[in-house]
């Protein structure tokens, strides 16, 4: 912490009461120490005739490079000290990461201007008596039969097709190799590959040309890669795939018999009626969850229409950053990087940010709105409740409590999350 920092605490408002500019100057002994450290760092690489690297005296260095060459290095080193001083003296609580500009710098010190954005004023004009109803859930026979069909398909067995040729819906076990201008290309070869005809998992035209082939038949497939294909050397190019069919398998639809129910392994399910009842419960549970989420979204949307708040763009930008980070993690789970996503979708980071702007704004609006309603309704979560919630969540995710809290952001985040959920439950009560 700086011993002597001149702070001009005059707070500029930029026409908004929650946007502040705090000026801090680092000078005196603290600035001298920073300059000394800057010189020690610069000295290691300074080149002056007659002196070995790292041995140039301070006065010679300053004559050769000028005192000004140390200023920016010293100013960078003092940013954190200046920031802590600005926070300590202003007592402001930022809602986004503050930004900093270097106002002035010279031999006497460095002056910084910190832009600190605090929580904007929120006026919730109406949040009670909106009479929002939850959608009633109903499961039809068609939905049950449709899901039953999917279930039977998942348990479909494959049997070797002894006669005939490849048809749509069959699985052709093939060897293949791709050539461009007579030269095999990387990633274009496979052996005993099981290709479901109609899955459209290969480039357009490939599966269509396999239809009609028989076991042990070999064939050259003349194809063209799509113009937007992910590999630049192949995009839009004419190629030849040499294909041999080793085996043809056809799907055999399962019967709702004893063997099927045994394979299914669902406790107590040994008949079509019982299976349909379980399917109905599963569909009902999913629909209930969807209806609950839509119900909450509708409440937040309606209450949000009655909120007056001037949300700083910086808060929205920070939320966009969070959404993109979450999206990137989701893509990674599918083995796709953001760069690859941009390539596939022919888009840019700017396009993705624009796409997420509306959701980010709503997220910030609802967060500020719920925080205000929490205060208005005097909803309080005790330390004991937060601690118990942390224990329950740690057990749910099969984690040590301390590890869970570290991952979640601490007990205060658990407390905040619990407050928000209690507030949403309160809103549901107030708007039936």
């Amino acid at each position: 912490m700086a011993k002597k920092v001149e702070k001009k605490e005059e707070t500029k408002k930029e026409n908004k009461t929650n946007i502040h500019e705090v000026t801090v100057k680092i000078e005196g002994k603290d600035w001298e120490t920073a300059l000394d450290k800057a010189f020690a760092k610069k000295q290691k690489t300074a080149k002056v005739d007659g002196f070995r690297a790292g041995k140039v005296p301070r006065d010679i260095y300053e004559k050769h490079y000028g005192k000004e060459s140390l200023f920016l290095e010293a100013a960078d080193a003092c940013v954190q000290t200046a920031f802590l001083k600005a926070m300590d003296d202003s007592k402001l609580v930022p809602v986004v990461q503050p930004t900093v500009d270097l106002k002035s710098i010279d031999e006497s010190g460095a002056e910084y201007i910190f832009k600190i954005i605090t929580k904007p004023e929120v006026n919730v004009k109406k949040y009670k008596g909106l009479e929002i109803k939850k959608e009633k859930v109903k499961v039809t026979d068609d939905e049950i039969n449709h899901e039953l069909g999917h279930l039977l398909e998942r348990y479909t067995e494959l049997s070797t097709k002894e006669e005939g040729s490849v048809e749509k819906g069959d699985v052709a076990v093939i060897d293949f190799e791709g050539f461009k201008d007579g030269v095999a290309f990387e990633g274009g070869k496979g052996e005993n590959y099981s290709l479901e005809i109609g899955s459209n998992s290969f480039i357009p035209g490939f599966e269509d040309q396999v239809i009609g082939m028989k076991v042990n038949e070999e064939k050259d497939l003349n194809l063209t890669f799509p113009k937007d294909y992910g590999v630049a050397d192949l995009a839009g190019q004419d190629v030849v795939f040499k294909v041999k069919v080793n085996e043809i398998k056809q799907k055999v639809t399962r019967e709702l018999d004893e063997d099927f129910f045994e394979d299914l392994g669902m406790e107590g399910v040994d008949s079509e009626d019982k299976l349909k009842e379980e399917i109905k419960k599963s569909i009902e549970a999913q629909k209930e969850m969807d209806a609950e989420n839509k119900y909450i979204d509708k409440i937040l949307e309606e209450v949000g229409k009655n909120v007056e708040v001037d949300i700083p763009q910086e808060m929205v930008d920070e939320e966009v950053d969070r959404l993109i980070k979450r999206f990137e993690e989701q893509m990674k789970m599918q083995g796709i990087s953001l760069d690859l996503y941009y390539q596939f979708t022919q888009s840019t980071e700017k396009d993705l940010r624009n796409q997420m702007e509306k959701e980010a704004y709503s997220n910030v609006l609802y967060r500020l709105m719920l925080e205000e309603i929490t205060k208005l309704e005097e909803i309080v979560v005790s330390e004991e409740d937060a601690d118990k919630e942390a224990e329950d969540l740690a057990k749910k995710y099969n984690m040590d409590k301390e590890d869970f809290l570290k991952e979640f952001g601490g007990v205060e985040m658990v407390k905040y999350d619990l407050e928000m959920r209690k507030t949403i439950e309160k809103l549901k009560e107030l708007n039936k």
Side-chain angles (χ1 to χ4, degrees):
M1 179 66 69
K3 291 180 182 176
K4 184 180 178 184
V5 175
E6 177 190 340
K7 173 182 156 301
K8 298 175 183 174
E9 192 163 311
E10 197 176 334
T11 307
K12 275 193 181 178
K13 305 274 181 169
E14 292 189 12
N15 299 321
K16 294 182 181 180
T17 57
N18 65 310
I19 298 180
H20 316 266
E21 284 188 359
V22 178
T23 303
V24 172
K25 186 169 184 180
I26 300 294
E27 57 185 348
K29 184 64 178 175
D30 293 296
W31 183 241
E32 290 173 15
T33 300
L35 289 173
D36 291 343
K37 289 180 179 178
F39 168 69
K41 187 174 179 180
K42 295 278 190 180
Q43 185 187 40
K44 294 176 183 178
T45 56
K47 295 180 181 179
V48 177
D49 291 341
F51 296 93
R52 286 181 293 130
K55 298 297 181 181
V56 182
R58 177 78 170 264
D59 58 336
I60 301 296
Y61 172 91
E62 291 183 353
K63 285 179 182 177
H64 189 80
Y65 290 99
K67 290 183 180 180
E68 297 82 4
S69 65
L70 302 175
F71 292 169
L72 282 178
E73 186 77 39
D76 285 342
C78 291
V79 169
Q80 185 62 17
T81 300
F83 170 69
L84 293 174
K85 184 64 176 173
M87 291 295 97
D88 185 57
D89 288 359
S90 68
K91 308 302 180 188
L92 297 170
V93 180
V95 290
V96 293
Q97 186 66 35
T99 58
V100 60
D101 287 321
L102 191 59
K103 182 179 180 182
S104 64
I105 185 171
D106 56 32
E107 193 172 356
S108 68
E111 196 169 20
Y112 307 83
I113 298 178
F114 290 93
K115 182 180 179 181
I116 302 171
I117 299 175
T118 55
K119 185 176 175 179
E121 184 178 341
V122 183
N123 178 20
V124 185
K125 295 184 291 182
K126 184 178 181 181
Y127 65 94
K128 301 177 183 179
L130 296 173
E131 297 184 355
I132 299 166
K133 303 299 180 185
K134 183 178 177 180
E135 180 184 307
K136 290 184 179 179
V137 168
K138 182 182 178 183
V139 179
T140 66
D141 289 341
D142 284 344
E143 289 172 323
I144 294 170
N145 290 328
H146 182 74
E147 186 58 34
L148 178 59
H150 279 307
L151 187 61
L152 286 169
E153 190 175 335
R154 284 202 296 273
Y155 281 84
T156 294
E157 294 178 336
L158 292 174
S159 65
T160 300
K161 198 172 185 179
E162 301 296 345
E163 296 181 358
S165 58
V166 177
E167 299 177 49
K168 189 170 184 180
D170 288 345
V171 173
V173 182
I174 61 173
D175 294 338
F176 64 90
E177 187 168 15
F179 296 84
K180 188 182 83 168
D181 300 327
V183 179
F185 54 82
E186 187 178 351
K189 184 177 181 179
E191 293 182 353
N192 287 318
Y193 184 90
S194 294
L195 174 64
E196 182 180 346
I197 306 303
S199 64
N200 298 317
S201 53
F202 275 28
I203 65 171
F206 190 104
E207 294 169 31
D208 292 338
Q209 293 191 44
V210 174
I211 292 175
M213 291 181 69
K214 297 182 178 180
V215 174
N216 293 325
E217 183 179 346
E218 298 182 22
K219 185 177 179 181
D220 287 353
L221 313 184
N222 295 295
L223 298 164
T224 302
F225 274 96
K227 290 182 180 179
D228 59 353
Y229 189 67
V231 179
D233 290 345
L234 295 175
Q237 298 297 305
D238 294 330
V239 295
V240 176
F241 276 95
K242 293 185 178 294
V243 176
K244 180 188 176 185
V245 175
N246 298 322
E247 186 181 6
I248 304 171
K249 296 180 179 181
Q250 59 186 353
K251 293 180 179 180
V252 179
T253 304
R254 297 291 299 272
E255 297 292 332
L256 293 172
D257 53 21
E258 187 178 338
D259 288 341
F260 175 76
F261 291 120
E262 189 175 327
D263 290 345
L264 194 60
M266 293 175 68
E267 189 176 350
V269 176
D270 55 9
S271 68
E272 182 176 346
D273 287 342
K274 289 180 180 179
L275 177 56
K276 284 186 173 181
E277 187 59 36
E278 288 301 313
I279 290 173
K280 182 180 180 180
K281 288 178 185 176
S282 176
I283 296 173
E284 239 170 13
Q286 184 59 54
K287 282 193 166 190
E288 280 289 351
M289 187 185 299
D290 292 342
E292 178 70 7
N293 289 335
K294 286 178 184 177
Y295 177 49
I296 291 171
D297 287 344
K298 186 65 176 175
I299 290 174
L300 295 176
E301 184 182 341
E302 289 303 312
V303 176
K305 292 175 183 177
N306 296 286
V307 175
E308 289 179 345
V309 61
D310 191 357
I311 298 175
Q313 184 61 38
E314 289 86 349
M315 289 185 75
V316 179
D317 290 340
E318 195 168 89
E319 178 64 13
V320 170
D321 290 340
R322 190 188 69 80
L323 291 176
I324 287 180
K325 186 68 178 173
R326 186 179 69 182
F327 180 73
E328 183 177 16
E329 292 301 319
Q330 291 170 344
M331 289 293 100
K332 278 182 183 177
M333 290 174 70
Q334 300 176 40
I336 301 172
S337 67
L338 270 185
D339 287 339
L340 199 56
Y341 168 80
Y342 294 141
Q343 186 177 337
F344 283 162
T345 58
Q346 296 184 331
S347 61
T348 64
E349 182 183 350
K350 184 179 179 182
D351 295 329
L352 185 58
R353 294 188 72 85
N354 289 339
Q355 181 184 326
M356 292 184 169
E357 180 95 5
K358 185 177 179 181
E359 181 183 354
Y361 181 88
S362 294
N363 288 352
V364 175
L365 171 63
Y366 296 160
R367 187 166 68 238
L368 292 170
M369 175 181 86
L370 287 170
E371 287 172 358
E372 184 63 19
I373 294 170
T374 300
K375 287 195 299 182
L376 292 171
E377 289 296 318
E378 299 180 345
I379 294 170
V380 178
V381 173
S382 67
E383 295 296 331
E384 292 78 11
D385 286 343
D387 191 63
K388 185 179 183 306
E389 179 72 6
E391 285 181 5
D392 292 342
L393 289 172
K395 287 178 184 176
K396 179 181 177 181
Y397 295 110
N398 198 26
M399 294 175 70
D400 177 78
K401 181 182 170 185
E402 294 306 313
D403 291 337
F404 169 78
L405 286 173
K406 193 180 294 183
E407 192 79 21
F408 199 77
V411 73
E412 285 303 313
M413 280 304 298
V414 174
K415 187 176 181 181
Y416 177 83
D417 184 64
L418 198 50
E419 283 176 348
M420 294 300 99
R421 282 188 277 137
K422 282 180 175 288
T423 303
I424 289 172
E425 289 303 313
K426 188 67 176 178
L427 280 174
K428 286 160 64 176
E429 289 176 21
L430 295 170
N431 289 287
K432 289 180 178 177

